[in-house]
Amino acid sequence: GDQVEQSPSALSLHEGTDSALRCNFTTTMRSVQWFRQNSRGSLISLFYLASGTKENGRLKSAFDSKERRYSTLHIRDAQLEDSGTYFCAAEANTGYQNFYFGKGTSLTVIP
Amino acid sequence: EAAVTQSPRNKVAVTGGKVTLSCNQTNNHNNMYWYRQDTGHGLRLIHYSYGAGSTEKGDIPDGYKASRPSQENFSLILELATPSQTSVYFCASGDLPVSNERLFFGHGTKLSVL
């Protein structure tokens, strides 16, 4: 079954508004990484977290440090260039470094 | 910033033909990965490698082989391509957990098997 459940699957935001994406994990994960895939298909790394929170400009990500079973990505003051598909990838506590990907959130920012 | 380069960017193959996808990374990462991306599935791990000479099966290895002849290069091989292998393939490298680095991805290879 799927290790990572990402929500919502699609989202439309008006410019200037805020929202949050979420990934739930079926088991405890070691770390999480968030990506944005642009219109050309390139995967751009946004954050890597082993615990706690990280912030970069209008983006902020958090990884539940206690149970390690969910992560969030907050978008503040959404801009047109934020449009794209966002993926979370969670690293399992297995012997090898394997990241399980969510199915993505397709974000459209509307003027 | 780590550089991961994939070639070709686009490939059209015939059913039953052999396809080789190449990946090169210039940051001396130990670990390299091949994923495929399909609508409704996100990215799924096909094969990975811990270093030169090593290849390991990921979650969906059937129909694929991998080769890691050097630290820099990691190839994905489809000996007998099938239409179900039409997909976008991503190569990635990283050195977790040694250096706390994240995964770095190439730009992807779009493969169509006719």
Side-chain angles (χ1 to χ4, degrees), chain A residues 30-31 33 35 37 40-43 45-48 50 54 87 89 91 95-104, chain B residues 9 31 33 35 37 40-43 45 48 50 57-59 90 94-97 100-107:
Chain A
R30 181 181 294 162
S31 68
Q33 191 166 348
F35 297 88
Q37 188 169 36
R40 295 177 61 187
S42 296
L43 283 162
S45 180
L46 301 174
F47 296 104
Y48 167 76
K54 285 188 179 179
F87 291 95
E91 183 189 7
Y96 62 92
Q97 181 192 5
N98 185 16
F99 283 81
Y100 292 99
F101 281 77
K103 294 181 180 180
Chain B
R9 294 292 296 269
N31 302 337
Y33 310 82
Y35 290 88
Q37 182 179 26
H41 287 282
L43 278 80
L45 182 66
Y48 62 100
Y50 289 126
K57 293 181 179 179
D59 297 320
F90 285 94
D95 239 350
L96 292 162
N100 204 37
E101 289 183 8
R102 56 186 187 257
L103 282 177
F104 296 89
F105 279 87
H107 289 288

Side-chain angles (χ1 to χ4, degrees), chain B:
Chain B
E1 185 79 2
V4 180
T5 305
Q6 293 181 230
S7 62
R9 294 292 296 269
N10 291 281
K11 174 74 178 178
V12 178
V14 296
T15 297
K18 182 177 181 178
V19 177
T20 300
L21 306 183
S22 300
C23 180
N24 175 274
Q25 55 102 357
T26 59
N27 244 39
N28 201 33
H29 286 158
N30 287 323
N31 302 337
M32 295 186 74
Y33 310 82
W34 276 105
Y35 290 88
R36 61 178 285 177
Q37 182 179 26
D38 303 286
T39 303
H41 287 282
L43 278 80
R44 293 178 291 173
L45 182 66
I46 306 170
H47 284 288
Y48 62 100
S49 168
Y50 289 126
S54 105
T55 61
E56 307 290 338
K57 293 181 179 179
D59 297 320
I60 51 164
D62 293 346
Y64 302 94
K65 292 183 180 179
S67 173
R68 183 87 182 270
S70 64
Q71 182 80 339
E72 298 79 18
N73 295 296
F74 189 39
S75 298
L76 185 68
I77 303 153
L78 291 68
E79 295 280 3
L80 295 169
T82 67
S84 65
Q85 293 175 313
T86 294
S87 186
V88 179
Y89 292 84
F90 285 94
C91 175
S93 74
D95 239 350
L96 292 162
V98 174
S99 63
N100 204 37
E101 289 183 8
R102 56 186 187 257
L103 282 177
F104 296 89
F105 279 87
H107 289 288
T109 295
K110 185 175 181 180
L111 173 65
S112 298
V113 182
L114 306 177

Side-chain angles (χ1 to χ4, degrees), chain A residues 2-38:
Chain A
D2 291 342
Q3 306 275 353
V4 177
E5 182 180 323
Q6 188 171 346
S7 62
S9 58
L11 180 63
S12 291
L13 292 178
H14 285 283
E15 269 187 302
T17 60
D18 305 342
S19 191
L21 314 181
R22 184 177 174 106
C23 280
N24 291 326
F25 314 132
T26 57
T27 186
T28 299
M29 295 293 183
R30 181 181 294 162
S31 68
V32 65
Q33 191 166 348
W34 284 90
F35 297 88
R36 178 172 62 233
Q37 188 169 36
N38 62 22

